[in-house]
Amino acid sequence: MTMSVPRPRGVAYLVLVVSGIWLTGCDNMKHQPVERALEAPRPVPVHAVAQSDPARPPAPPRSLALLQRGRERYTIYCAPCHGTFGKGEGIVVQRGYPAPPSYHTERLRDAPDEHFYEVISQGYGVMYDYANRIAPADRWAIVAYVRALQRSQHGTRADVPPEFRAQLGMTEDQP
């Protein structure tokens, strides 16, 4: 002998569903609990500079020492992805990581130095930021070295001072 449980039908079923929704979903939104901070904000470190702060250190004048430091830092931090010559063919890319753009595209050759500084500081795309890994002075050194890489791949005869052309064995008919 099987007993069946009577089921609500029609209007009674609708009333049950609507009242269930009303009881669970209606609350006075004006009286929601407010979470307060448990402590005051941490103080800003003495030597901290905001990423968007226009008071970041200015680019130093280009020198051989700056380029050497930039090459050293570039080799450590940038070459694994960007490659030795900045073409985006680093060892990490050869192992399947997404390729970064080449520094030799027109867009990046025309970009201001500050663009490279900001990308190093804040990251871009899949590149994470290096603000806590590379000192501001070293970021500028890397920017100077990237500019030297760009010039090395897109230099012209006019870029070589006349007094050095003879030392390099360049003749007047060479482009």
Side-chain angles (χ1 to χ4, degrees):
M1 175 161 133
T2 308
M3 294 201 51
S4 64
V5 177
R7 295 186 178 159
R9 302 244 187 241
V11 175
Y13 184 72
L14 182 63
V15 169
L16 280 174
V17 170
V18 170
S19 62
I21 292 172
W22 179 73
L23 288 173
T24 59
C26 293
D27 191 9
N28 189 345
M29 297 302 283
K30 294 180 183 176
H31 301 293
Q32 293 293 317
V34 177
E35 294 184 21
R36 305 265 184 222
L38 298 177
E39 58 186 67
R42 296 185 303 177
V44 177
V46 176
H47 299 290
V49 176
Q51 291 182 354
S52 61
D53 190 352
R56 71 171 173 256
R62 304 275 164 93
S63 66
L64 183 58
L66 182 72
L67 289 175
Q68 288 171 338
R69 179 69 177 177
R71 179 180 183 193
E72 178 186 275
R73 301 286 97 187
Y74 178 88
T75 303
I76 293 169
Y77 293 106
C78 309
C81 294
H82 291 277
T84 306
F85 301 109
K87 294 183 178 181
E89 301 169 346
I91 190 71
V92 175
V93 174
Q94 294 172 14
R95 304 224 190 279
Y97 202 75
S102 170
Y103 293 135
H104 307 290
T105 63
E106 186 176 350
R107 177 182 68 88
L108 291 179
R109 283 195 318 264
D110 294 341
D113 291 350
E114 290 77 14
H115 169 76
F116 293 100
Y117 184 90
E118 291 300 321
V119 168
I120 294 169
S121 302
Q122 299 176 9
Y124 187 84
V126 296
M127 177 181 158
Y128 52 87
D129 67 277
Y130 282 89
N132 62 351
R133 295 173 183 86
I134 303 174
D138 286 342
R139 289 180 228 162
W140 283 120
I142 291 170
V143 170
Y145 183 70
V146 166
R147 292 300 192 193
L149 282 176
Q150 290 174 328
R151 294 290 299 262
S152 73
Q153 300 297 306
H154 297 281
T156 63
R157 179 177 170 68
D159 293 331
V160 180
E163 63 270 16
F164 293 114
R165 291 180 192 163
Q167 291 176 3
L168 296 172
M170 297 175 77
T171 62
E172 293 301 321
D173 58 346
Q174 288 180 326

